[in-house]
Amino acid sequence: MSPPVAPAGWSRWLVPPAALSVHLSIGQAYAWSVFKPPLESALGLSGTQSALPFQLAIVMLGLSAAFGGTLVERNGPRWAMTVALVCFSSGFLISALGAATEQYWLIVLGYGFVGGTGLGIGYISPVSTLIKWFPDRPGMATGIAIMGFGGGALIASPWSAQMLESFGSDSSGIALAFLVHGLSYAVFMTLGVLLVRVPRGAGTAASGSPVGQGVQVSASSAVRTPQFWCLWVVLCMNVTAGIGILEKAAPMIKDFFADTSTPVSVSAAAGFVALLSAANMAGRIGWSSTSDLIGRKNIYRVYLGVGALMYALIALIGDASKPLFVLFALVILSFYGGGFATIPAYLKDLFGTYQVGAIHGRLLTAWSTAGVLGPLIVNWIADRQEEAGKHGSSLYTLSLFIMIGLLAVGFVANELVRPVHARHHVPAPREATDAERQQPESAA
C-alpha cells in the first residue's frame, strides 16, 4: 500500500483528526480496569490474573512498535492504520468468544496478543507523519494525536460500564460488550484510514520547512547512543509509576475509602477512571505544547519531580479526603500522558526527523517493560497485603513509595541527556538518497 500523498492545497490540519480517530479507539486500553471486577467475579480470577490481558497488550504494544517501526516508515500511515484496525478489532472479537465460552486464555490471546499488536502499530502510525507536517510545533502536533490515546477511556469507561449494566456483568454480558467494542471501533478507525495523507515533496513539510534540516540519526545508530537509553529509562520509570494506578484505578479508589462513611460506588469508580482519562488526555496536549516553549528536559523535570511529590501526598494523606486523592491522581495522570506526548518531540530534537518513527517504535519497548512492572507491583503487593489481613489504603502504601523511587531514577536519567555525538549523524547525501527512495512516486 503506497502512502497517500496530499494533493496541492491540502490542509495539514486534516491530518490530526485522522490520527485521533485511531488513537481515540486504541485508547480504550486505559479503560480496562472497568472490566476487571466483572471478570474476577464471573471467572473467579485474582486481581493479578485479571490484569494479564492489559499487561500483555502493553507488552505487545512496545514489541510491535519496535519491530514494526521501520515498516511503518516504509509503507506509510495508511498501511499502519489498516493493520491496527484489523488487529485491534479482531482482538475484541476473539475476547468476546473467550468470555462467551468462559475460556480466559482466549481473552488473554485476543485482547492481549492480537489487540496489543494493533495498539503498537496504531500508536506509532501517525507520529512521523505529524512531525513532518508540523516541524515548527512538533510537541503540539504529536500531543494532539497522542492525547486521543489518553482520552480513549474518557469515552470507553462510561460506555463500557453502561453496557455491563445493560447486558449484565456475567460472562455473556462481558462477551456482548466486547463484541460491540470490536465492531464499533472498526467503523471509527476506518475514518482515519481514509483521511490520512503524507506531505507532498521530498523533504519539505506543509509549512515549507525542510524535514531533514539539522541533526539526523538513523534508527540503527540511535539505539547505540546513551541518549536513547537515558530516554528509555525516563519513559519506563514515568510510565511504570502512572500505569500502576491507571490499571487498578477503579478498585483502588474503592479500597481507599471502603472503611469511611461514604464508600465509593461502582458508578463513581467508573467516573473516576473517566476523570483520569480526561487528565491523561489534557496532559498530552497541554504539557507537550508547553514543552515547545520551555524545552523537553525542563518539562520532564516537572513530570518526574512533581510527580514524585504527588505520590508522596497520596501515600501520606490521600485517604483523608476524596477531593485531594482525586486531585493528586489527576496531576499524576496528566504528567503520565504528557510524558508520552512529549517523547516524540524529544526524539526529534536529539535524532532529527529521519526515521524518527522507527526510533520512537524502538523506544516504546520501555512501555512494554512498564506495562508489566506497574500493574505487577501494584496488584502483587495489594494481593499480599490483603492476605496479611490489611485493608483500605494500606494495601497500596508500599507500592506508592516504590513509585517515588522509580520516578527519582527517571529524574537522574533525564539529567544525563546530552546532544548526540556527530559520529552518529547521517551524512547528507545518504539521507537524501534514502528519502527519495522512500518517497512515493504518485498519490495513492
Side-chain angles (χ1 to χ4, degrees):
M1 182 180 293
S2 299
V5 179
W10 182 268
S11 173
R12 63 178 180 168
W13 292 102
L14 293 173
V15 180
L20 274 172
S21 71
V22 173
H23 275 238
L24 280 171
S25 298
I26 62 178
Q28 184 281 335
Y30 283 144
W32 176 253
S33 65
V34 175
F35 285 102
K36 280 172 64 67
L39 282 170
E40 291 168 15
S41 176
L43 302 180
L45 306 174
S46 68
T48 303
Q49 289 173 323
S50 66
L52 185 56
F54 176 81
Q55 289 176 292
L56 181 57
I58 299 302
V59 169
M60 292 308 302
L61 185 157
L63 293 178
S64 61
F67 290 106
T70 302
L71 291 175
V72 172
E73 288 284 308
R74 181 183 305 138
N75 297 327
R78 177 170 288 179
W79 173 88
M81 289 180 179
T82 301
V83 172
L85 184 160
V86 172
C87 291
F88 188 65
S89 296
S90 297
F92 269 112
L93 300 183
I94 296 170
S95 297
L97 177 62
T101 59
E102 299 187 359
Q103 297 293 316
Y104 187 57
W105 69 271
L106 279 175
I107 299 177
V108 175
L109 173 67
Y111 192 93
F113 185 82
V114 179
T117 301
L119 285 180
I121 299 298
Y123 190 86
I124 63 173
S125 63
V127 169
S128 64
T129 301
L130 283 166
I131 289 177
K132 290 170 184 175
W133 276 109
F134 294 89
D136 49 334
R137 286 178 281 181
M140 181 215 67
T142 54
I144 288 175
I146 293 176
M147 77 172 181
F149 193 90
L154 188 62
I155 299 170
S157 180
W159 183 35
S160 300
Q162 182 59 50
M163 279 194 287
L164 290 171
E165 183 177 335
S166 300
F167 301 151
S169 57
D170 58 359
S171 58
S172 60
I174 296 170
L176 190 53
F178 282 154
L179 177 63
V180 172
H181 273 53
L183 296 177
S184 300
Y185 285 133
V187 173
F188 193 58
M189 293 172 75
T190 300
L191 298 177
V193 172
L194 297 177
L195 189 60
V196 72
R197 298 288 188 278
V198 296
R200 175 173 293 276
T204 301
S207 65
S209 302
V211 169
Q213 189 178 33
V215 172
Q216 304 296 326
V217 181
S218 69
S220 59
S221 294
V223 297
R224 295 196 294 268
T225 65
Q227 289 83 357
F228 176 89
W229 293 106
C230 282
L231 289 188
W232 192 98
V233 172
V234 167
L235 184 63
C236 184
M237 297 301 100
N238 194 53
V239 174
T240 299
I243 207 168
I245 282 185
L246 194 58
E247 187 273 337
K248 202 174 175 65
M252 181 180 287
I253 193 171
K254 292 175 65 179
D255 288 336
F256 254 77
F257 299 97
D259 299 329
T260 67
S261 59
T262 55
V264 177
S265 66
V266 174
S267 59
F272 174 62
V273 175
L275 281 177
L276 292 181
S277 178
N280 190 352
M281 180 174 62
R284 290 173 187 242
I285 181 62
W287 293 121
S288 62
S289 296
T290 302
S291 77
D292 287 333
L293 302 175
I294 70 173
R296 320 304 172 195
K297 179 174 283 191
N298 285 333
I299 201 68
Y300 273 96
R301 286 169 174 154
V302 174
Y303 298 155
L304 300 162
V306 180
L309 175 62
M310 293 296 103
Y311 269 106
L313 290 173
I314 288 179
L316 297 174
I317 63 173
D319 59 347
S321 167
K322 285 181 186 176
L324 286 178
F325 177 90
V326 172
L327 175 63
F328 299 152
L330 292 178
V331 173
I332 289 171
L333 264 295
S334 76
F335 292 160
Y336 170 82
F340 276 120
T342 310
I343 205 69
Y346 210 160
L347 292 172
K348 179 258 182 187
D349 293 346
L350 291 171
F351 303 110
T353 56
Y354 177 68
Q355 295 192 342
V356 67
I359 298 171
H360 184 221
R362 286 160 172 77
L363 192 76
L364 290 182
T365 54
W367 194 355
S368 295
T369 304
V372 174
L373 286 179
L376 182 62
I377 291 170
V378 175
N379 284 287
W380 187 84
I381 291 177
D383 288 345
R384 300 293 81 76
Q385 298 288 65
E386 188 173 13
E387 290 173 0
K390 295 185 178 181
H391 54 84
S393 61
S394 60
L395 296 174
Y396 304 99
T397 303
L398 178 58
S399 299
L400 294 173
F401 281 109
I402 290 174
M403 298 307 178
I404 293 171
L406 294 177
L407 288 173
V409 172
F411 191 94
V412 172
N414 182 53
E415 294 302 307
L416 296 176
V417 173
R418 298 290 186 272
V420 177
H421 194 280
R423 68 175 178 271
H424 298 292
H425 297 179
V426 175
R430 173 186 159 189
E431 178 191 333
T433 301
D434 287 352
E436 290 174 2
R437 185 181 300 119
Q438 293 181 15
Q439 180 71 23
E441 296 180 359
S442 59

